[in-house]
């Protein structure tokens, strides 16, 4: 049996159910488990030493894990953030499939590139988001982050603006890439953007995957806004991880079945 795992400060069953359902559909003798590591370096050493084939990496480890792998794929190197590790005979190569998910969702939802954008957050997922916005052709983007060092550096790396606080700002597209609204967290019931920003937006995007209907997404739906959810991000990035781990690309029908199974918990 081949083992794949995920590492997260607050593990969910989403990836576990998605991957394991695909293993069953494709008759693969694989299994996927989720863990909350107490020591990241030891956890990655375990991936290498135990021959664990794949390792998904979630907040807050996406940047710290870079120093613990052997090779960075261009998808991770370009944005200094990792969400996927593939172990081939003890050689750990890191990728970032978050970028792919964000890129695909902006395109499939036909979000106009002349929209003004507010991105709240400056961590690993924010890097993937801001890079995808830049590469898609968005020009008017502002990164909102309390930490000036990381926030300003992220914004300037991609030619965008930085602000320390929202301060009443609005935009056509608002994107939350912070843990605000995440189940199990201290701000699980909080809105990541105020109601006036939601009212002014045309599209509301929350990358938080658990729950699928975060407070921000619920408020945006109630206001009649177009929404893009973290659950959609989770499905696409998990699919690309599955392909990297197994070398097999499931059919669209198999992916939909796995997605339905994941969300039915």
């Amino acid at each position: 049996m081949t083992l794949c795992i995920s590492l997260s400060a607050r593990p969910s069953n989403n990836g576990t159910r998605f991957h394991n359902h695909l293993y069953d559909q494709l008759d693969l003798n694989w299994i996927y488990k989720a863990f909350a590591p107490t020591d990241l370096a030891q956890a990655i050493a375990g991936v290498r030493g135990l021959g664990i084939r794949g390792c998904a990496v979630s907040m807050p480890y996406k940047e710290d894990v870079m120093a613990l792998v052997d090779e960075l794929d261009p998808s991770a190197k370009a944005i200094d953030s990792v969400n996927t590790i593939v172990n081939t005979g003890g050689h750990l190569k890191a990728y970032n499939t978050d970028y792919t998910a964000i890129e695909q969702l902006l395109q499939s939802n036909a979000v106009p590139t002349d929209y003004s954008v507010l991105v709240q957050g400056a961590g690993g997922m924010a890097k993937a988001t801001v890079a995808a916005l830049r590469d898609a052709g968005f020009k008017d983007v502002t990164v909102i982050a309390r930490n000036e060092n990381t926030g300003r550096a992220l914004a300037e790396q991609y030619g965008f603006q930085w602000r320390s606080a929202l301060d009443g700002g609005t935009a056509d597209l608002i994107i939350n890439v912070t843990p605000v609204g995440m189940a199990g967290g201290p701000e699980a019931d909080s809105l990541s953007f105020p109601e006036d920003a939601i009212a002014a937006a045309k599209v509301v995007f929350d990358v938080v995957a658990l729950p699928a209907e975060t407070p921000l997404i619920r408020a945006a739906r109630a206001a009649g806004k177009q929404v893009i959810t973290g659950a959609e991000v989770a499905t696409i990035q998990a699919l690309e991880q599955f392909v990297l781990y197994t070398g097999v690309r499931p059919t669209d029908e198999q992916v939909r079945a796995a997605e339905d199974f994941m969300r039915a918990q």
Side-chain angles (χ1 to χ4, degrees):
M1 176 174 286
T2 301
L3 172 64
C4 291
I5 68 171
S6 65
L7 301 177
S8 173
R10 291 195 290 271
S12 77
N13 286 327
N14 283 359
T16 303
R17 291 172 65 86
F18 182 87
H19 284 265
N20 285 332
H21 194 270
L22 283 175
Y23 298 154
D24 287 342
Q25 287 189 82
L26 294 164
D27 197 27
L28 297 175
N29 188 24
W30 292 48
I31 191 168
Y32 189 102
K33 296 288 186 180
F35 297 94
T38 56
D39 185 301
L40 181 62
Q42 290 182 358
I44 298 302
V47 171
R48 192 191 307 273
L50 295 172
I52 295 170
R53 169 59 176 169
C55 177
V57 182
S58 296
M59 291 189 292
Y61 308 117
K62 294 185 178 188
E63 295 161 299
D64 292 343
V65 78
M66 291 177 63
L68 304 174
V69 301
D70 302 308
E71 182 182 357
L72 294 174
D73 182 76
S75 63
K77 191 172 185 178
I79 58 177
D80 293 329
S81 178
V82 166
N83 82 325
T84 305
I85 299 171
V86 178
N87 179 6
T88 304
H91 180 86
L92 304 186
K93 185 173 181 178
Y95 301 78
N96 193 303
T97 65
D98 289 330
Y99 172 94
T100 303
I102 300 294
E103 181 183 48
Q104 288 185 20
L105 286 168
L106 290 170
Q107 184 175 17
S108 64
N109 283 274
V111 182
T113 56
D114 61 356
Y115 273 9
S116 57
V117 186
L118 290 173
V119 178
Q120 191 150 232
M125 189 64 170
K127 289 181 177 181
T129 302
V130 171
L133 286 165
R134 191 277 309 273
D135 293 347
F138 288 84
K139 305 295 185 185
D140 183 3
V141 178
T142 301
V143 174
I144 310 295
R146 290 191 296 268
N147 187 311
E148 180 174 359
N149 289 335
T150 57
R152 186 185 294 278
L154 173 60
E156 291 182 351
Q157 180 180 355
Y158 293 97
F160 298 142
Q161 302 299 312
W162 163 82
R163 287 164 55 184
S164 62
L166 194 60
D167 290 334
T170 61
D172 299 317
L173 168 61
I174 58 175
I175 308 177
N176 173 48
V177 284
T178 74
V180 176
M182 183 181 294
E187 299 176 280
D189 299 322
S190 300
L191 277 174
S192 50
F193 282 91
E195 292 182 0
D196 58 346
I198 298 170
K202 297 174 182 175
V203 181
V204 177
F205 190 169
D206 196 342
V207 303
V208 172
L210 190 68
E213 295 290 312
T214 62
L216 176 62
I217 292 298
R218 292 200 304 270
R221 289 196 195 279
K225 305 299 179 179
Q226 180 182 356
V227 301
I228 306 173
T229 71
E232 296 173 271
V233 176
T235 296
I236 295 171
Q237 67 85 16
L239 170 60
E240 297 306 320
Q241 287 177 333
F242 182 91
V243 175
L244 286 170
Y245 298 156
T246 66
V248 177
R249 182 168 292 277
T251 65
D252 291 345
E253 182 179 359
Q254 289 168 335
V255 172
R256 283 193 297 271
E259 185 177 20
D260 291 343
F261 181 76
M262 175 181 71
R263 294 183 181 179
Q265 56 186 311

